[in-house]
Amino acid sequence: MSRTALSLSNLDDATLPQQTERLARLAGETEDRCREVVVEADTRNLPLSDPSRPYGVLVVEATRLMEEVWYTCDTLSGWVDA
């Protein structure tokens, strides 16, 4: 996620088409890591529904961040293609 966040923070109009492609690749990699977190939590039977334990919050926040990254990628791609 750190490379994805760094790419988002360094967007530049002059190279936006290339950056958008890179961001989409990084988002795909980040999504894979997010899935790994979910699978690992499930494999270890972590208490995802217990609000006093951090695991459920981690999964929810990772999912939310991925949705935000994909929305940003889609928005940038639409803007670049326009």
Side-chain angles (χ1 to χ4, degrees):
M1 185 65 166
S2 63
R3 291 186 307 160
T4 305
L6 183 62
S7 289
L8 283 169
S9 69
N10 290 320
L11 292 176
D12 179 9
D13 288 345
T15 57
L16 195 56
Q18 297 85 359
Q19 288 177 316
T20 301
E21 290 174 14
R22 175 176 160 71
L23 184 59
R25 282 193 309 275
L26 290 171
E29 292 173 15
T30 302
E31 187 171 40
D32 291 343
R33 300 300 79 75
C34 183
R35 280 194 205 112
E36 290 172 5
V37 168
V38 172
V39 168
E40 187 66 21
D42 188 47
T43 300
R44 293 178 181 252
N45 294 317
L46 297 177
L48 298 179
S49 61
D50 183 351
S52 68
R53 306 289 296 270
Y55 313 113
V57 173
L58 174 64
V59 170
V60 168
E61 287 301 310
T63 302
R64 184 188 63 77
L65 285 170
M66 279 314 311
E67 290 171 356
E68 292 293 330
V69 167
W70 279 120
Y71 175 78
T72 302
C73 285
D74 290 344
T75 300
L76 288 172
S77 292
W79 190 72
V80 165
D81 293 338

